[in-house]
Amino acid sequence: MTTKRDYYEILEVHRDASEEDVRKAFRKKALEFHPDRNKSADAGVKFKEVNEAYQVLTDPERRQQYDRFGHAATGSGGQGTGGFNSGDGFGGFGDIFDAFFGGGPRTQTSAQPGRDLQTTITVAFEEAVFGVTREIEIERRESCTRCKGSRSEPGHTASTCSNCKGSGRVRRAARSVFGQFMTEAACNVCSGTGQQISNPCTQCKGSGRERAKSKIKVQVPAGIPAGATLNLRGQGDSGERGTPSGDLYVGIRVKPHEEFEREENDIHYDLELTYPQAALGLELEVPTLHGAHKIKIPAGTQNGEVFRVTGKGVPNLGREHRRGDQLVTILVSTPAKLSKRQKEILEELQRSFTDDD
């Protein structure tokens, strides 16, 4: 046997609290322990306690009996809280909570829009720069090919639901702490469709949809960055009974390039030069995504120096006539092995620097 807590203690009000004070305390405690908001293991039990205390303390006659005789006057006698579905005439947690706090009665959606789907494709570095059209295959829910989404076996038609008279909604009376009120919900006979299917389609089992593989063309725009997501509207799962289809989200992966690296709309390229080339300067062609391009390396170029080739980068996404640049970084290489003659030349060069001093 469990000893029941004092109702005034549950609502944290004085024994001489007014009815309005009790209502305010109930509102606060109901918000705190409502199971839809409070996920702790004992939230449901505490919410029932709060409701039971509220019912007693807002009823003048029951409160007077409780003040005189305690829990013995409520008929529960320490057997635990009664709860909403234990003969007290109340609906579930959602009904009482929504009625009290202005949320309105909860309703059930009769038909759900199609789910959004996700997939990922991998494109080459150049394809991300210049754009490409890809055909992909996905599996999604589509309108049933046998019943064309009607849910009935071909040759049969649906009839008007006798329970809701075709409205898809039913109303019922429920009692709350403020008295009786009406709630509306999806018809449990026709699931809110307003129609009854007497001969369900044998292919989709009366759902109106079936899983199928579909090929879809994906237009990858020029300049798209790695990690971007394309939204293909209406290419997700088909909706139920004429509701909109979901979308298909296509994530973009980009393969790395052997020579180039991308930073936003600029392309980086490392150009290796020998020490004599950097010291003496030269004119040469460097590769770009748009073909070979001739650049001039001035004498005395230092290791790490960067040259900008204008307009040879990545097109701006959505504005292909504008492009980034290519940045050519000079890497002066030091030979790991030298021939006897090369060593003699370098030693002579070194002595010339000393002589100049």
Side-chain angles (χ1 to χ4, degrees):
M1 182 178 292
T2 303
T3 302
K4 297 193 69 173
R5 294 174 60 200
D6 181 77
Y7 289 149
Y8 294 96
E9 178 186 341
I10 292 171
L11 295 180
E12 296 183 356
V13 295
H14 296 293
R15 303 193 77 81
D16 59 350
S18 66
E19 183 175 332
E20 181 60 25
D21 290 335
V22 172
R23 291 183 184 277
K24 289 180 179 179
F26 170 71
R27 182 181 288 108
K28 178 181 178 181
K29 290 294 182 181
L31 280 169
E32 180 181 354
F33 296 117
H34 190 274
D36 284 356
R37 296 188 173 206
N38 190 326
K39 301 304 181 182
S40 59
D42 61 348
V45 173
K46 290 183 177 179
F47 188 80
K48 290 179 182 180
E49 285 183 340
V50 168
N51 175 63
E52 184 177 343
Y54 175 82
Q55 293 180 58
V56 173
L57 298 186
T58 53
D59 185 315
E61 183 177 347
R62 295 178 70 186
R63 181 173 180 176
Q64 184 180 27
Q65 293 295 315
Y66 175 76
D67 288 342
R68 292 185 64 189
F69 305 108
H71 287 294
T74 67
S76 54
Q79 297 301 316
T81 56
F84 289 112
N85 296 314
S86 57
D88 57 11
F90 283 78
F93 288 122
D95 291 340
I96 183 68
F97 185 78
D98 287 338
F100 192 88
F101 295 103
R106 296 185 177 186
T107 57
Q108 182 177 340
T109 304
S110 59
Q112 296 292 331
R115 290 187 310 120
D116 293 338
L117 302 179
Q118 292 182 332
T119 190
T120 302
I121 63 173
T122 301
V123 298
F125 191 91
E126 292 88 342
E127 290 174 332
V129 172
F130 298 110
V132 67
T133 299
R134 284 290 187 84
E135 186 175 74
I136 63 173
E137 185 176 77
I138 64 168
E139 185 175 289
R140 62 184 178 183
R141 290 186 180 276
E142 298 182 348
S143 181
C144 176
T145 55
R146 180 172 176 82
C147 69
K148 310 302 181 187
S150 70
R151 302 186 296 139
S152 292
E153 186 70 8
H156 298 271
T157 57
S159 59
T160 301
C161 177
S162 58
N163 187 50
C164 65
K165 304 298 187 290
S167 69
R169 315 295 293 176
V170 292
R171 302 186 71 192
R172 63 181 176 85
R175 191 157 60 85
S176 76
V177 291
F178 296 117
Q180 182 170 293
F181 66 99
M182 300 299 293
T183 64
E184 185 180 278
C187 176
N188 62 334
V189 174
C190 66
S191 300
T193 66
Q195 296 180 322
Q196 287 180 274
I197 307 298
S198 55
N199 296 90
C201 172
T202 55
Q203 184 165 302
C204 65
K205 312 303 180 188
S207 70
R209 300 186 301 169
E210 61 182 345
R211 299 202 71 83
K213 291 184 178 181
S214 300
K215 291 185 177 181
I216 299 173
K217 286 187 176 180
V218 179
Q219 183 67 49
V220 180
I224 193 167
T229 300
L230 298 175
N231 181 8
L232 277 61
R233 296 193 178 279
Q235 295 295 337
D237 276 351
S238 173
E240 295 179 345
R241 299 186 287 281
T243 56
S245 297
D247 297 339
L248 173 63
Y249 292 90
V250 182
I252 303 297
R253 291 197 187 110
V254 180
K255 294 179 181 178
H257 197 278
E258 292 182 356
E259 295 183 290
F260 303 120
E261 287 187 8
R262 178 177 174 179
E263 182 179 7
E264 296 183 350
N265 288 339
D266 290 335
I267 293 294
H268 289 264
Y269 174 74
D270 292 338
L271 176 61
E272 284 196 9
L273 297 179
T274 64
Y275 173 75
Q277 287 176 320
L280 299 174
L282 76 161
E283 194 174 272
L284 77 170
E285 287 186 339
V286 295
T288 75
L289 291 168
H290 307 274
H293 182 82
K294 185 175 291 186
I295 64 172
K296 185 176 182 179
I297 307 296
T301 294
Q302 301 299 305
N303 183 62
E305 198 165 338
V306 177
F307 294 88
R308 182 179 294 272
V309 182
T310 305
K312 297 300 183 181
V314 180
N316 286 12
L317 187 61
R319 303 175 66 183
E320 296 183 29
H321 63 285
R322 300 189 62 181
R323 298 176 185 168
D325 301 330
Q326 178 162 312
L327 304 179
V328 180
T329 301
I330 301 301
L331 301 179
V332 180
S333 60
T334 302
K337 292 183 180 181
L338 295 172
S339 67
K340 183 178 178 180
R341 177 58 181 157
Q342 289 171 334
K343 188 174 181 181
E344 290 174 350
I345 293 173
L346 286 177
E347 287 174 344
E348 185 177 346
L349 179 61
Q350 177 62 32
R351 286 193 298 269
S352 70
F353 288 144
T354 306
D355 293 341
D356 289 342
D357 294 340

